[in-house]
Amino acid sequence: VVNNADGSKSASGSLSPSGSGDAGSSNTMKSVIASAMYSGCSVGMVLVNKSLASSYNHLIQGDLNILLVVFQAVAAVICVEFSKKMGWVDYPTFNVRTAQLWAPVNLLFCGMLFTGMASLEHNSVPMVTVFKNITNIMTTIGDCILYGATVEWLVMAAFGIMLAGAVMAAQNDADVTQTGLFWMLANCLCTSGYVLYLKFATKSVKLSKFGMVFYNNVLCTLFLFPVSVM
């Protein structure tokens, strides 16, 4: 604000176009880095889980798939708790009432993780990738039916391209057993059910993203650990 010659005041100056451009460039870079990190972690997790589920299940008594899910849930809880202690993230402390309200969501979450591990054990990675893309399409259709969401044609075209690419990649490795098909279909249903029910549950249970991570993995450990040691 500057004083004019007649004693009145007026605003002077404006946002620098270059400053606005720098902010936009910074946001784009953050998005690219986040996407790259997510892709790297996702691919790495699939490959590691496939190796463990296929190669070492015979070395232990019981089901290695359940034990791996429990280990991953414990690791996730440790990571978010450490991040909370460091002040990087924030979410409420454990509350029994909240856990009770969140339990139906978590049952689908547990099912999603377990069936995902089982499908990796009995199928090749390319075939699992095909069904993961089918899951995305199922979830989108469910969102339209249950919540009245609208989907742009470009999004549907992107789904089609991803599905076609996955099918082409798996065409030379398309052997599917009845057991493998069962677990893949179960994973599709659990994953779509989890995502769709989560949208409903978050209307009544207010949790941050890291709060969801905390409760999902704490409850997953409580539900599955007794099963893994039986």
Side-chain angles (χ1 to χ4, degrees), residues 42 46 116 119-120 127-137 187-188 191:
S42 180
V46 168
S119 63
L120 280 171
M127 283 306 301
V128 172
T129 303
V130 171
F131 277 83
K132 283 185 178 294
N133 283 285
I134 293 175
T135 302
N136 293 333
I137 297 173
N187 183 246
C188 289
T191 303

Side-chain angles (χ1 to χ4, degrees), residues 19-43:
S20 177
D22 291 342
S25 177
S26 176
N27 290 335
T28 301
M29 183 58 64
K30 289 179 180 179
S31 299
V32 171
I33 292 174
S35 298
M37 292 179 65
Y38 174 81
S39 299
C41 291
S42 180
V43 171

Side-chain angles (χ1 to χ4, degrees), residues 190-209:
C190 286
T191 303
S192 292
Y194 168 70
V195 174
L196 294 172
Y197 188 71
L198 179 66
K199 188 172 182 177
F200 169 78
T202 50
K203 295 178 181 179
S204 57
V205 183
K206 301 300 181 182
L207 287 173
S208 65
K209 292 181 179 179

Side-chain angles (χ1 to χ4, degrees), residues 179-228:
T179 302
L181 183 61
F182 169 80
W183 286 120
M184 284 194 294
L185 291 176
N187 183 246
C188 289
L189 293 174
C190 286
T191 303
S192 292
Y194 168 70
V195 174
L196 294 172
Y197 188 71
L198 179 66
K199 188 172 182 177
F200 169 78
T202 50
K203 295 178 181 179
S204 57
V205 183
K206 301 300 181 182
L207 287 173
S208 65
K209 292 181 179 179
F210 288 100
M212 294 180 195
V213 172
F214 174 72
Y215 275 95
N216 270 336
N217 287 283
V218 167
L219 293 176
C220 183
T221 303
L222 294 177
F223 287 152
L224 295 183
F225 180 72
V227 180
S228 68

Side-chain angles (χ1 to χ4, degrees), residues 114-161:
F114 173 73
T115 57
M117 290 293 301
S119 63
L120 280 171
E121 178 185 356
H122 296 284
N123 298 283
S124 65
V125 171
M127 283 306 301
V128 172
T129 303
V130 171
F131 277 83
K132 283 185 178 294
N133 283 285
I134 293 175
T135 302
N136 293 333
I137 297 173
M138 288 174 55
T139 304
T140 302
I141 294 173
D143 196 23
C144 294
I145 295 173
L146 297 176
Y147 302 109
T150 57
V151 182
E152 296 181 359
W153 284 107
L154 287 176
V155 175
M156 297 304 297
F159 282 151
I161 292 172

Side-chain angles (χ1 to χ4, degrees), residues 157-170:
F159 282 151
I161 292 172
M162 288 189 297
L163 180 59
V167 171
M168 292 176 63

